Amino acid sequence: MAENKGQTDSIRMGMQGCRTNNGFVQNEDILEKDPDPGSGLDGAVAPLDPAEPDLKDVRPYAGMPKEVLFHFSGQARYRVPREVLFWLTVASVFVLIGATIAIIAISPKCLDWWQEGPMYQIYPRSFKDSDMDGNGDLKGIQEKLDYITTLSVKTIWITSFYKSPLKDFRHGVEDFRDIDPIFGTMKDFENLVAAIHDKGLKLIIDFIPNHTSDKHAWFQLSRTRTGKYTDYYIWHDCTHENGITTPPNNWLSVYGNSSWHFDEVRKQCYFHQFLREQPDLNFHNPDVQEEIKEIIQFWLTKGVDGFSFDAVKFLLEAEHLRDEAQVDKTQTPATVTHYWELHHDFTTTQVGMHDIVRSFRQTMDQYSREPGRYRFMGTEAYGESTDRTMMYYGLPFIQEADFPFNDYLSKLNTPSGNSVSEVITSWMENMPEGKWPNWMIGGPDRARLTSRLGAEYVNIMNLLVFTLPGTPITYYGEEIGMTNILATNLNESYDTDTLLSKSPMQWDNSSNAGFTEANHTWLPTSSDSHTVNVDVQKTQPRSALKFYQELSLLHAHELLLSRGWFCLLSNNSHSVVYTRELDGIDTVFLVVLNFGEASLLHLKEMVSNLPTRARIRLSTNLANKGSEVDMHAISLDKGEGLVLEYNTEQLFHHQTAFRGRCFVSNRACYSSVFNILHSLC
């Protein structure tokens, strides 16, 4: 005990008698005091006075001990600035948090990749041949990606390339998980996807879930009643005697005649809405729905950014199999063989069909969770009325397609101001609030724009779709004004009328228009390919291609076109006039399109509150770009279009007279002070 006590006293004495310097030299002004000679310690360290040290004459110095630091930090001249800075920091943090929350709250939804720029639709067999067999292929598309980027498009849309027999343009698929050898291999596809993404582009592909080829493994198993595949297709008993089939009802194929065909193996009739080689899948069967889901997942895993789902209105048929009503009730039933001679109340747009389409959306949403990887979904429902088409957008809280493809402009065979404005307003008035429109002027199953309307309307129609709100969609070759081929003897088993718009892409004026180095092409090239081709037009300052590129750049860089209001000011049999405007921007684009003969447009008289002069921002006649026009009398040639620009604070969508003629998809306003978009309009 005595020994321990001695050690403790020794440690205590050492702690009291030592001061730590921490490596700093103390202030030389502090003089060390000699120990009191009478203390009796005789050179030993004196114990510290438990009282506070006298720091009256001490100034702050580097390495000061905490007792000295606390002494000075408590003084008002140090404490007050420190507390002020602390509370300013706290307040700044709260202000920044509040500002961030406010900006997020008032910011409109950002445009997604499928809204930001045009889509470019490619029919792969006709775009570019890389292996000299006369057929376009996936490697050919990859070779031409640099050209596609010059068009400022955001999305490439490739039509069907699945393994399939030569029936109905490959819409009767033999294997949904394989590439047809004509187009290449799965490795070619994977390389193409990677190359497209490297260019900053997105890829969507066609998918036809309604039917398969009769060569598909599912059908072969179904016709032999093998396991779960027995009911993968729509089978029904029917009478077949002496080579004549009596079908279960009067339902007709899109291509005419009965939609039922007798199968010699199963001894029943199967249902086909299209060719007899394309039996319809039975979507009342949950196993079929699961198969389609897995196919969607397969291609999403391959890196595909979205789908165009074709023929979705045919997915379900009524199970009661009642006859459909005749359009002409006086017609003899036996003579009703054409599709349009029946009302298709039991074979299209059935109850439950939209639930199936929404299930496609749900599957794709599972692959859209990664930031920047939203998967697009479009639906093709051509032939539907406008109100039925709008149903594919979904419900307010249940999303379906991002948009149904809008082909109404591609049906115009005689352009006029009234017909064009009717197509525009019909879509915009019926489109659900907050949804996104789209516009296309051509496609694989439509006559080409030049052949339908004339070469003088190529630029004006491209100008139209690029200055309307929404996503413009371009069918390959429309940017250079390709025409239908004039072929009478085509060595293909297709409908000739729909082949004419699928001729090979015209790249240059060499043999076969630069499409292939082979001696033949699957379809002949157009007779005008020596003058209407990419190489020629990219060197001509006033060509259709140059105008398309200018137009696409304008669309990409102008908020007025991507976000602005659309206000239809005037239309008649010859012309259409509308504005694109945005709150917060005092510049307005006034688009004037003349579909009639050359005329003088008295625009100021038609709309009194327009300015007297405006500058031409873009014209179908590129020579006029940058000049000014008098709004009292604008001279327009046939097929001429202008994008005029002027400044004003009186926007049309705020004016009562035009409110019923103004539309916007996603309301937004621009703040020039903060250079941001906001929704407090």
Side-chain angles (χ1 to χ4, degrees):
M1 289 292 290
E3 182 179 351
N4 291 341
K5 184 177 185 302
Q7 290 177 356
T8 303
D9 291 341
S10 175
I11 293 172
R12 183 182 297 114
M13 184 174 66
M15 293 175 63
Q16 291 175 344
C18 296
R19 292 187 180 182
T20 303
N21 192 308
N22 293 329
F24 291 96
V25 178
Q26 291 189 355
N27 195 315
E28 295 178 355
D29 293 338
I30 304 175
L31 301 177
E32 295 187 27
K33 294 184 180 181
D34 293 332
D36 186 354
S39 63
L41 294 176
D42 197 16
V45 179
L48 287 175
D49 187 349
E52 287 282 338
D54 185 7
L55 301 173
K56 180 174 65 175
D57 298 327
V58 179
R59 297 194 301 272
Y61 59 90
M64 68 184 98
K66 66 179 180 180
E67 293 88 351
V68 181
L69 180 63
F70 288 158
H71 170 74
F72 290 109
S73 66
Q75 295 178 8
R77 58 177 173 170
Y78 298 110
R79 186 185 73 253
V80 172
R82 185 173 68 249
E83 291 180 352
V84 169
L85 288 173
F86 171 77
W87 290 112
L88 282 175
T89 302
V90 171
S92 299
V93 170
F94 279 107
V95 168
L96 287 173
I97 293 173
T100 302
I101 294 173
I103 290 174
I104 294 173
I106 67 173
S107 294
K109 186 178 182 295
C110 294
L111 296 183
D112 220 321
W113 55 264
W114 49 274
Q115 299 170 308
E116 289 180 338
M119 294 182 176
Y120 190 73
Q121 186 182 22
I122 294 174
Y123 190 73
R125 197 177 180 187
S126 297
F127 197 63
K128 183 68 172 74
D129 174 24
S130 70
D131 58 3
M132 299 178 59
D133 67 349
N135 296 286
D137 46 50
L138 299 178
K139 283 186 177 179
I141 296 174
Q142 186 171 343
E143 288 178 10
K144 292 300 183 178
L145 288 181
D146 286 339
Y147 165 73
I148 294 174
T149 59
T150 67
L151 304 179
S152 300
V153 302
K154 295 292 185 183
T155 305
I156 296 174
W157 171 9
I158 302 179
T159 61
S160 181
F161 51 76
Y162 306 101
K163 184 178 180 181
S164 68
L166 292 176
K167 295 293 181 183
D168 194 19
F169 306 105
R170 309 193 174 278
H171 287 174
V173 177
E174 184 177 337
D175 188 348
F176 285 110
R177 291 181 173 88
D178 200 4
I179 307 292
D180 195 286
I182 282 182
F183 302 122
T185 65
M186 185 60 73
K187 184 62 177 177
D188 294 336
F189 178 78
E190 291 168 352
N191 291 339
L192 176 60
V193 173
I196 286 173
H197 289 163
D198 286 345
K199 296 289 185 182
L201 305 175
K202 300 291 186 179
L203 172 66
I204 65 173
I205 63 175
D206 271 1
F207 185 41
I208 310 95
N210 177 71
H211 51 267
T212 70
S213 165
D214 59 356
K215 306 297 184 185
H216 198 289
W218 296 346
F219 186 77
Q220 296 304 314
L221 292 168
S222 185
R223 69 197 307 216
T224 57
R225 304 177 189 265
T226 302
K228 68 175 184 178
Y229 300 100
T230 300
D231 295 322
Y232 263 41
Y233 296 84
I234 301 167
W235 298 93
H236 203 275
D237 293 332
C238 58
T239 303
H240 184 75
E241 295 179 355
N242 301 322
I244 299 175
T245 301
T246 303
N249 56 30
N250 72 341
W251 295 355
L252 297 176
S253 161
V254 169
Y255 295 114
N257 297 314
S258 177
S259 56
W260 296 95
H261 183 71
F262 183 76
D263 181 64
E264 293 288 352
V265 175
R266 182 153 166 163
K267 303 302 180 183
Q268 281 186 309
C269 282
Y270 63 84
F271 179 70
H272 60 91
Q273 297 247 36
F274 296 91
L275 298 177
R276 71 179 185 181
E277 294 89 354
Q278 298 169 327
D280 275 37
L281 286 165
N282 178 16
F283 271 88
H284 291 289
N285 186 338
D287 289 335
V288 171
Q289 296 188 35
E290 186 62 27
E291 292 273 14
I292 297 300
K293 174 183 176 181
E294 292 175 2
I295 293 168
I296 294 171
Q297 292 172 332
F298 173 84
W299 290 105
L300 292 176
T301 303
K302 290 290 183 183
V304 167
D305 299 293
F307 289 95
S308 162
F309 288 97
D310 288 358
V312 289
K313 72 176 182 178
F314 300 103
L315 288 178
L316 286 179
E317 299 78 26
E319 294 183 281
H320 54 62
L321 300 184
R322 291 200 295 267
D323 282 354
E324 291 185 318
Q326 295 179 194
V327 173
D328 181 2
K329 298 185 184 302
T330 64
Q331 186 176 356
T332 304
T335 65
V336 177
T337 58
H338 296 101
Y339 189 71
W340 60 84
E341 293 176 330
L342 292 179
H343 294 290
H344 302 287
D345 298 326
F346 302 142
T347 53
T348 61
T349 321
Q350 296 299 290
V351 174
M353 180 273 291
H354 283 281
D355 293 330
I356 295 173
V357 178
R358 289 176 198 130
S359 73
F360 299 161
R361 174 75 267 170
Q362 291 166 5
T363 300
M364 298 177 70
D365 284 343
Q366 296 171 7
Y367 289 79
S368 299
R369 293 167 183 167
E370 182 183 346
R373 289 306 308 273
Y374 180 81
R375 306 306 176 103
F376 167 83
M377 175 175 163
T379 55
E380 174 270 306
Y382 304 151
E384 294 273 37
S385 61
T386 304
D387 56 338
R388 281 195 169 189
T389 301
M390 294 301 153
M391 295 175 67
Y392 291 95
Y393 276 113
L395 302 174
F397 299 103
I398 303 177
Q399 187 179 4
E400 201 164 320
D402 291 298
F403 53 65
F405 290 104
N406 175 5
D407 72 330
Y408 290 100
L409 287 173
S410 66
K411 297 177 182 179
L412 293 179
N413 295 320
T414 307
S416 70
N418 288 332
S419 60
V420 168
S421 65
E422 183 180 353
V423 169
I424 297 169
T425 55
S426 175
W427 191 275
M428 298 303 291
E429 287 176 351
N430 287 281
M431 185 177 68
E433 184 178 357
K435 298 300 182 179
W436 192 257
N438 69 101
W439 314 92
M440 54 200 307
I441 52 177
D445 300 324
R446 303 288 182 193
R448 284 199 175 271
L449 177 64
T450 304
S451 299
R452 287 196 333 265
L453 308 181
E456 64 270 26
Y457 289 107
V458 171
N459 286 347
I460 193 174
M461 290 301 289
N462 280 323
L463 177 61
L464 171 66
V465 297
F466 272 86
T467 55
L468 288 174
T471 299
I473 301 172
T474 298
Y475 181 52
Y476 82 96
E478 300 289 7
E479 72 274 18
I480 60 174
M482 283 178 58
T483 63
N484 282 2
I485 52 175
L486 302 175
T488 56
N489 185 21
L490 301 173
N491 186 27
E492 292 290 340
S493 58
Y494 299 136
D495 179 0
T496 302
D497 292 338
T498 57
L499 273 174
L500 305 181
S501 63
K502 296 180 174 69
S503 60
M505 178 67 177
Q506 297 162 197
W507 295 106
D508 55 43
N509 55 12
S510 65
S511 175
N512 296 322
F515 166 72
T516 181
E517 295 180 7
N519 295 325
H520 68 284
T521 58
W522 81 281
L523 283 180
T525 55
S526 178
S527 58
D528 65 357
S529 62
H530 62 288
T531 56
V532 180
N533 63 68
V534 172
D535 268 7
V536 167
Q537 292 196 11
K538 70 183 181 182
T539 62
Q540 296 175 339
R542 300 183 186 179
S543 67
L545 178 59
K546 283 291 185 181
F547 178 74
Y548 184 96
Q549 291 170 328
E550 289 262 355
L551 194 54
S552 193
L553 283 174
L554 183 70
H555 183 273
H557 294 111
E558 286 293 343
L559 275 175
L560 294 176
L561 296 180
S562 62
R563 287 285 197 173
W565 284 79
F566 165 85
C567 290
L568 181 62
L569 303 189
S570 172
N571 63 275
N572 53 39
S573 59
H574 298 292
S575 64
V576 177
V577 180
Y578 54 88
T579 63
R580 301 301 308 278
E581 54 192 45
L582 184 66
D583 290 295
I585 298 179
D586 59 3
T587 300
V588 171
F589 283 164
L590 179 68
V591 182
V592 183
L593 307 175
N594 180 37
F595 294 96
E597 298 297 326
S599 61
L600 203 62
L601 187 63
H602 304 284
L603 199 54
K604 182 68 175 175
E605 296 178 7
M606 298 164 62
V607 185
S608 60
N609 49 356
L610 286 173
T612 56
R613 300 191 68 79
R615 186 174 71 92
I616 298 178
R617 180 64 181 271
L618 191 62
S619 170
T620 52
N621 182 356
L622 290 174
N624 294 332
K625 182 180 177 181
S627 60
E628 286 194 349
V629 296
D630 183 352
M631 304 285 265
H632 289 96
I634 302 177
S635 179
L636 295 169
D637 292 331
K638 181 180 182 179
E640 184 174 1
L642 303 173
V643 179
L644 304 176
E645 184 179 43
Y646 65 90
N647 294 330
T648 183
E649 294 182 358
Q650 298 178 352
L651 302 181
F652 285 99
H653 70 272
H654 289 307
Q655 300 177 28
T656 304
F658 292 97
R659 283 185 181 173
R661 299 168 68 86
C662 293
F663 309 95
V664 69
S665 295
N666 295 315
R667 187 186 298 267
C669 310
Y670 177 73
S671 171
S672 57
V673 176
F674 299 102
N675 192 28
I676 62 170
L677 287 170
H678 62 90
S679 56
L680 299 179
C681 303

